[in-house]
Amino acid sequence: MPKDTAYSNSEITEQMKELPTWRVEAGALVRHFETDGWPTTLMLVNMIGYFAEAADHHPDLAVSWSKVAVKLSTHSAGGITGKDFALARLLDQWALWRPESGGALGGSPRPFVKAGTWKS
Ligand code: H2B
């Protein structure tokens, strides 16, 4: 699959089957997260920022007190590319990560980060 060329609508539809938590809005992949407040919001933003910089691919972020909207597109290609799908998959894997139950790490007792609901 192309990583630097914008996907066609049918390629996007195919890829979206494996990303049910994301939507396509105005030529970008979009996902919302909700947090228990500003400190957690900033930690989530920093986590996304860290991966984005390591990947050299940077989403647009809309940040409010307890919400983070992530918007992925490849500006240089004018659309959604394999880079956007790869970063979306990576964020799906880590943004809601929790220690396994019964393991050595107890996990935060706070609500922390959860999947956001869509406004529409
Ligand atoms: N991020 C996104 N989302 N789209 C781009 O086209 C893009 C980027 N280009 N991050 C990258 C950086 C480019 O500016 C550098 C030089 O690789």
mmCIF file of all heavy atoms in Angstrom, residues 56-59 73-76 84, ligand 1:
data_model
loop_
_atom_site.group_PDB
_atom_site.id
_atom_site.type_symbol
_atom_site.label_atom_id
_atom_site.label_comp_id
_atom_site.label_asym_id
_atom_site.label_seq_id
_atom_site.Cartn_x
_atom_site.Cartn_y
_atom_site.Cartn_z
ATOM 1 N N ASP A 56 8.116 11.080 12.524
ATOM 2 C CA ASP A 56 8.165 12.227 11.607
ATOM 3 C C ASP A 56 6.867 12.356 10.823
ATOM 4 O O ASP A 56 6.844 12.592 9.619
ATOM 5 C CB ASP A 56 9.371 12.145 10.651
ATOM 6 C CG ASP A 56 9.587 13.459 9.909
ATOM 7 O OD1 ASP A 56 9.188 14.507 10.442
ATOM 8 O OD2 ASP A 56 10.141 13.425 8.789
ATOM 9 N N HIS A 57 5.772 12.175 11.542
ATOM 10 C CA HIS A 57 4.446 12.366 10.941
ATOM 11 C C HIS A 57 3.551 12.922 12.047
ATOM 12 O O HIS A 57 3.422 12.298 13.099
ATOM 13 C CB HIS A 57 3.918 11.029 10.405
ATOM 14 C CG HIS A 57 2.769 11.224 9.488
ATOM 15 N ND1 HIS A 57 2.872 11.946 8.316
ATOM 16 C CD2 HIS A 57 1.465 10.821 9.563
ATOM 17 C CE1 HIS A 57 1.695 11.958 7.715
ATOM 18 N NE2 HIS A 57 0.825 11.290 8.452
ATOM 19 N N HIS A 58 2.946 14.077 11.794
ATOM 20 C CA HIS A 58 2.390 14.874 12.893
ATOM 21 C C HIS A 58 0.906 15.154 12.698
ATOM 22 O O HIS A 58 0.534 15.823 11.723
ATOM 23 C CB HIS A 58 3.167 16.183 13.011
ATOM 24 C CG HIS A 58 4.656 15.978 13.114
ATOM 25 N ND1 HIS A 58 5.469 15.920 12.006
ATOM 26 C CD2 HIS A 58 5.451 15.772 14.176
ATOM 27 C CE1 HIS A 58 6.731 15.710 12.391
ATOM 28 N NE2 HIS A 58 6.737 15.607 13.713
ATOM 29 N N PRO A 59 0.076 14.694 13.604
ATOM 30 C CA PRO A 59 -1.358 14.966 13.474
ATOM 31 C C PRO A 59 -1.706 16.383 13.908
ATOM 32 O O PRO A 59 -0.973 17.000 14.680
ATOM 33 C CB PRO A 59 -1.996 13.955 14.439
ATOM 34 C CG PRO A 59 -0.961 13.721 15.472
ATOM 35 C CD PRO A 59 0.376 13.887 14.796
ATOM 36 N N SER A 73 -3.738 13.483 8.455
ATOM 37 C CA SER A 73 -3.697 13.463 6.994
ATOM 38 C C SER A 73 -2.259 13.775 6.596
ATOM 39 O O SER A 73 -1.468 14.218 7.434
ATOM 40 C CB SER A 73 -4.656 14.490 6.392
ATOM 41 O OG SER A 73 -4.188 15.789 6.634
ATOM 42 N N THR A 74 -1.947 13.517 5.360
ATOM 43 C CA THR A 74 -0.583 13.798 4.896
ATOM 44 C C THR A 74 -0.636 15.038 4.024
ATOM 45 O O THR A 74 -1.120 14.995 2.893
ATOM 46 C CB THR A 74 -0.011 12.588 4.138
ATOM 47 O OG1 THR A 74 -0.069 11.455 5.004
ATOM 48 C CG2 THR A 74 1.433 12.832 3.718
ATOM 49 N N HIS A 75 -0.201 16.146 4.589
ATOM 50 C CA HIS A 75 -0.336 17.434 3.898
ATOM 51 C C HIS A 75 0.368 17.392 2.550
ATOM 52 O O HIS A 75 -0.167 17.866 1.552
ATOM 53 C CB HIS A 75 0.223 18.558 4.775
ATOM 54 C CG HIS A 75 -0.282 18.528 6.183
ATOM 55 N ND1 HIS A 75 0.512 18.774 7.287
ATOM 56 C CD2 HIS A 75 -1.512 18.244 6.683
ATOM 57 C CE1 HIS A 75 -0.206 18.653 8.384
ATOM 58 N NE2 HIS A 75 -1.438 18.328 8.055
ATOM 59 N N SER A 76 1.561 16.802 2.536
ATOM 60 C CA SER A 76 2.353 16.810 1.304
ATOM 61 C C SER A 76 1.684 16.010 0.188
ATOM 62 O O SER A 76 1.929 16.266 -0.990
ATOM 63 C CB SER A 76 3.753 16.270 1.582
ATOM 64 O OG SER A 76 3.657 15.003 2.185
ATOM 65 N N ASP A 84 -0.707 7.804 7.616
ATOM 66 C CA ASP A 84 -1.811 8.133 8.516
ATOM 67 C C ASP A 84 -2.406 6.865 9.116
ATOM 68 O O ASP A 84 -2.690 6.817 10.319
ATOM 69 C CB ASP A 84 -2.869 8.934 7.754
ATOM 70 C CG ASP A 84 -2.267 10.202 7.197
ATOM 71 O OD1 ASP A 84 -1.755 11.008 7.998
ATOM 72 O OD2 ASP A 84 -2.260 10.376 5.963
HETATM 73 N N1 H2B B 1 2.950 15.408 9.035
HETATM 74 C C1 H2B B 1 1.836 15.359 8.320
HETATM 75 N N2 H2B B 1 0.692 15.040 8.931
HETATM 76 N N3 H2B B 1 1.836 15.572 6.998
HETATM 77 C C2 H2B B 1 2.956 15.856 6.342
HETATM 78 O O1 H2B B 1 2.917 16.047 5.111
HETATM 79 C C3 H2B B 1 4.156 15.935 7.105
HETATM 80 C C4 H2B B 1 4.092 15.709 8.499
HETATM 81 N N4 H2B B 1 5.324 16.199 6.533
HETATM 82 N N5 H2B B 1 5.193 15.792 9.261
HETATM 83 C C5 H2B B 1 6.551 15.998 7.207
HETATM 84 C C6 H2B B 1 6.479 16.202 8.708
HETATM 85 C C7 H2B B 1 7.617 16.813 6.546
HETATM 86 O O2 H2B B 1 7.410 18.189 6.776
HETATM 87 C C8 H2B B 1 9.010 16.438 6.993
HETATM 88 C C9 H2B B 1 10.057 17.237 6.284
HETATM 89 O O3 H2B B 1 9.184 15.072 6.801
#
